[in-house]
Amino acid sequence: MAARDAADARTGTTTTETADAPVNIADAYKSAFRGHPAGVAVITAEGPDGPTGLTASSVASVAVDPPVLVFSLSTNSGSAGIVLGAPLFVVHLVDSLGVGLARRFAATGSPAADDPIWGTLPSGERYLPGAATALRCRPLSTTPIGSSTVVVAEVLDIVVGREHGEPLVYHNREFHSLTDRSRLT
């Protein structure tokens, strides 16, 4: 199939079509971001039934002074709804040693409050000591966009874990670690 020079904005088709290319903007968008690696985080909050959390690949730094981060959640129910309704939550940056945490919180259902996976911060919130870094946050703003919500949050405290593995990224629906061998020079 021949390539086209511009996208058809009315139909949302892609700018270049091949036999295997997606034919609509939503599929093309998903495909584009499947090929774009992202860092991995687990976001936890206290809900009415105890602590809960989810794995996210949308966490990014916004500012240093004051320290602010941003992430998006693709639903307003379940664990995401608890995080969105919480006055405080903890964003855990996960490395290769914490891939088990990332997998566990990517599945439905959070570990019970008495599970040894949890620790308690000096401020009282539960957190995941197995994560590379835990950032205790309070939301500054939430903005619904389509079926997602963008959260901007101020970082109040940071706990750095004792052990560190290789950086962990999410790429093409799988977790990968980055090693010195993956460095391009």
Side-chain angles (χ1 to χ4, degrees), residues 1-4 13-19 21-23:
M1 198 178 281
R4 291 184 295 158
T13 55
T14 58
T15 56
T16 303
E17 291 183 4
T18 64
V23 294

Side-chain angles (χ1 to χ4, degrees), residues 2-117:
R4 291 184 295 158
D5 293 332
D8 183 336
R10 291 168 295 173
T11 62
T13 55
T14 58
T15 56
T16 303
E17 291 183 4
T18 64
D20 296 329
V23 294
N24 66 56
I25 193 76
D27 288 343
Y29 185 80
K30 290 177 194 175
S31 179
F33 275 91
R34 243 181 245 124
H36 181 73
V40 180
V42 173
I43 304 169
T44 61
E46 194 70 30
D49 298 325
T52 190
L54 53 91
T55 300
S57 60
S58 61
V59 175
S61 171
V62 173
V64 173
D65 188 17
V68 174
L69 57 80
V70 65
F71 60 88
S72 67
L73 300 175
S74 62
T75 181
N76 292 326
S77 62
S79 295
I82 303 245
V83 170
L84 289 171
L88 296 169
F89 47 81
V90 182
V91 175
H92 303 83
L93 304 180
V94 182
D95 62 17
S96 62
L97 296 178
V99 70
L101 293 173
R103 287 188 175 119
R104 190 161 186 186
F105 284 90
T108 303
S110 293
D114 61 353
D115 191 304
I117 199 169

